[in-house]
Structures are given as structure tokens and as C-alpha cells.
């Protein structure tokens, strides 16, 4: 017989299971910058899809001036982000927001953040955010719920702090990247690394394996358990096993787990 299902059926008020917060910057009709926090988004290739509320200044700006920057704050900036949670760039304040929001024209000042000029688009970037995207809107699609739009934006330039970039490459170092995570209306920093996919371009090869490869040898994962892994070191001219390495070091076990999959 199948095991009984021990899950509960619930009706949570929100479904923000955990995504990075971003600050979207646009240009107001008078040329001043608007800044708004959001968290609904996903990326594929150079395209971002952003879920943005229709009753905010951001969407109004994008309809007339379809350029934006998407700025990702670190966990240390959660207080700055939260300072924007009860203000809007719309004047008068929309009826749906009137009970909990007030008009604020100086969003950067309110958040305690600094605008910095972009290279290819008019809206400024947020200087304090370690990762910043400049983007052009390619399409805006009404959602099933009229309260939001799906904004498809093409990223045309990426700015990153040097500490986030693997030296000598264009790869972001996932171990150095600590975005502000929004989960069920709470803010979190990223937790410890658990593993990676085989497609990773920044995953480390254990030094003893890299050294063996540098001598022309080959290897094969012999066994992987939850807390240890064994790798066969083989000759390059036929695959004859020379020796084995067994390790319980977490990074070695994670690497072997991926390579054995």
C-alpha cells in the first residue's frame, strides 16, 4: 500500500516561497527617477520577466518610457528596501493603496540609496546594489488578474562589483553572491551552499582530482554516500586503476555527487 500523505491542505495569504528582491528604477514624466521594490520575476537567457502591479508609478512610466534598471540588493540592504514598502510615486495615491501608502516623490532619498547614471538606458542604477541590470522593455502582457502586468525586458548591460566576479572571466561567483531573499513577507540572506548542477561554470574541481588530470590521468566516481565519496584514479592509456581517493570533505562529496549523476 502507498504511504499515507502527511501534507496539510492550506490556504496561505501569499505564495512568495522565496525569491530575490529587486529594485526597479524608471523615469517619471518630469525626468526624475522612480524606485520601487518587487520580487516576482524570472530570467531566461537575456530576458527578464517581471511581475509588476498596475497601480504603481513603475508601470505608468514603462508604458511611455520603456527603459528600466533592475537592481539586486544584498541582505544588508533590507532596511533600505523596507523604507519603500509604504510609499508610492503616484499622486494622488490610488484608492487601493490609500489606506497604507503615501505619496513620495523622492524615492532614492527615502530609501537612503544613491542613483548612478546608466550606460545605455535613461533610468539610473542603484549604486549600493552589488548587481545591476540595464534593460529595455520588449513586451508588456496583462495578467489573468488585472492587478499586474508581465513585463518582458531584454537586459542590455550588466554591472557587478568586482568581488562578485570570478577573476579573469565574465562569470558571477555564486559563493560571493548573497542576494536579499523575500519569503512569505520576511527577508532572508542566502544560506550555505548545498551543491550545484553539472552545467555550472564555476564549480570547483577538488585539487587532488585537478592535479591528477594535469598529469593526463582520468578518473571515475566509484561510490557516493551522504557523507563520503570514493573516486578511482586511472591511467590515461586504457583506464587501468592506479589508486583511489576517499573523502568526507563536503565539497568533495558534492562534486562527486554531481559527477556521478
Amino acid at each position: 500500500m502507498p504511504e499515507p500523505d502527511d501534507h496539510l491542505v492550506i490556504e496561505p495569504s501569499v505564495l512568495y516561497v522565496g525569491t530575490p528582491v529587486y529594485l526597479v528604477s524608471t523615469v517619471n514624466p518630469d525626468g526624475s527617477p522612480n524606485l520601487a521594490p518587487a520580487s516576482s520575476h524570472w530570467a531566461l537567457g537575456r530576458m527578464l520577466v517581471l511581475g509588476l502591479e498596475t497601480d504603481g508609478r513603475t508601470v505608468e512610466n514603462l508604458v511611455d518610457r520603456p527603459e528600466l534598471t533592475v537592481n539586486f540588493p544584498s541582505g544588508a540592504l533590507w532596511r533600505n528596501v523596507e523604507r519603500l514598502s509604504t510609499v508610492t510615486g503616484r499622486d494622488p495615491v490610488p484608492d487601493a493603496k490609500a489606506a497604507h501608502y503615501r505619496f513620495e516623490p523622492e524615492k532614492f532619498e527615502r530609501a537612503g540609496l544613491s542613483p548612478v547614471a546608466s550606460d545605455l538606458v535613461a533610468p539610473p542604477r542603484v549604486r549600493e546594489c552589488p548587481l545591476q541590470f540595464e534593460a529595455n522593455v520588449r513586451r508588456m502582457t496583462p495578467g489573468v488578474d488585472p492587478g499586474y502586468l508581465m513585463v518582458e525586458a531584454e537586459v542590455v548591460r550588466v554591472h557587478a562589483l568586482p568581488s562578485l566576479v570570478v577573476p579573469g572571466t565574465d562569470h558571477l561567483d555564486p559563493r560571493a553572491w548573497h542576494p536579499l531573499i523575500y519569503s512569505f513577507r520576511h527577508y532572508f540572506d542566502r544560506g550555505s551552499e548545498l551543491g550545484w548542477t553539472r552545467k555550472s561554470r564555476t564549480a570547483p574541481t577538488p585539487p587532488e582530482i585537478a592535479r591528477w588530470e594535469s598529469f593526463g590521468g582520468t578518473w571515475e566516481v566509484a561510490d557516493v554516500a551522504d557523507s563520503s565519496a570514493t573516486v578511482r584514479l586511472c591511467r590515461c592509456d586504457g583506464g587501468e586503476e592506479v589508486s583511489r581517493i576517499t573523502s568526507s570533505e563536503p565539497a568533495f562529496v558534492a562534486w562527486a555527487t554531481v559527477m556521478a549523476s
Side-chain angles (χ1 to χ4, degrees):
M1 293 181 61
E3 293 292 328
D5 185 0
D6 57 0
H7 292 74
L8 300 176
V9 175
I10 63 173
E11 290 290 338
S13 59
V14 294
L15 298 177
Y16 289 105
V17 297
T19 52
V21 173
Y22 62 94
L23 295 170
V24 55
S25 171
T26 56
V27 174
N28 294 320
D30 64 1
S32 64
N34 184 67
L35 188 66
S39 63
S40 298
H41 72 288
W42 57 271
L44 188 62
R46 302 292 294 186
M47 298 300 297
L48 296 179
V49 180
L50 312 175
L52 299 175
E53 296 179 351
T54 56
D55 58 2
R57 170 57 70 182
T58 296
V59 164
E60 284 193 340
N61 286 344
L62 292 178
V63 169
D64 295 327
R65 292 165 295 281
E67 296 181 331
L68 67 157
T69 67
V70 179
N71 307 270
F72 292 93
S74 64
L77 294 175
W78 76 268
R79 293 178 179 85
N80 304 79
V81 172
E82 183 60 17
R83 289 172 193 157
L84 296 172
S85 65
T86 58
V87 296
T88 177
R90 290 277 300 275
D91 185 25
V93 177
D95 291 341
K97 293 187 172 184
H100 303 288
Y101 288 74
R102 65 177 179 80
F103 171 61
E104 174 56 70
E106 302 294 338
K107 293 285 200 69
F108 275 89
E109 183 176 331
R110 165 73 179 175
L113 299 171
S114 312
V116 60
S118 297
D119 294 342
L120 303 177
V121 299
R125 296 172 284 129
V126 180
R127 182 184 298 275
E128 292 80 3
C129 287
L131 185 61
Q132 310 152 356
F133 297 165
E134 299 182 31
N136 293 315
V137 174
R138 295 304 184 199
R139 181 168 60 181
M140 295 198 292
T141 307
V144 174
D145 182 328
Y148 69 89
L149 286 179
M150 291 177 288
V151 178
E152 296 176 68
E154 180 182 7
V155 175
V156 294
R157 180 146 294 179
V158 176
H159 303 261
L161 287 180
S163 59
L164 297 183
V165 181
V166 177
T169 77
D170 285 323
H171 301 316
L172 288 164
D173 184 349
R175 294 167 193 83
W177 174 226
H178 286 263
L180 176 61
I181 302 296
Y182 187 61
S183 178
F184 295 110
R185 292 179 174 154
H186 288 243
Y187 296 112
F188 294 89
D189 198 343
R190 195 197 67 186
S192 60
E193 182 180 37
L194 300 176
W196 49 83
T197 75
R198 188 180 282 267
K199 294 180 180 180
S200 171
R201 297 183 179 182
T202 58
T205 299
E208 54 268 58
I209 302 298
R211 186 165 53 252
W212 184 253
E213 289 180 328
S214 72
F215 295 143
T218 62
W219 51 265
E220 181 181 87
V221 177
D223 181 65
V224 179
D226 290 341
S227 58
S228 68
T230 299
V231 175
R232 299 171 60 240
L233 301 182
C234 306
R235 295 170 56 95
C236 62
D237 57 357
E240 179 184 352
E241 182 177 330
V242 176
S243 64
R244 293 190 174 202
I245 298 175
T246 298
S247 175
S248 58
E249 202 279 321
F252 188 98
V253 176
W255 172 85
T257 298
V258 172
M259 293 302 158
S261 62

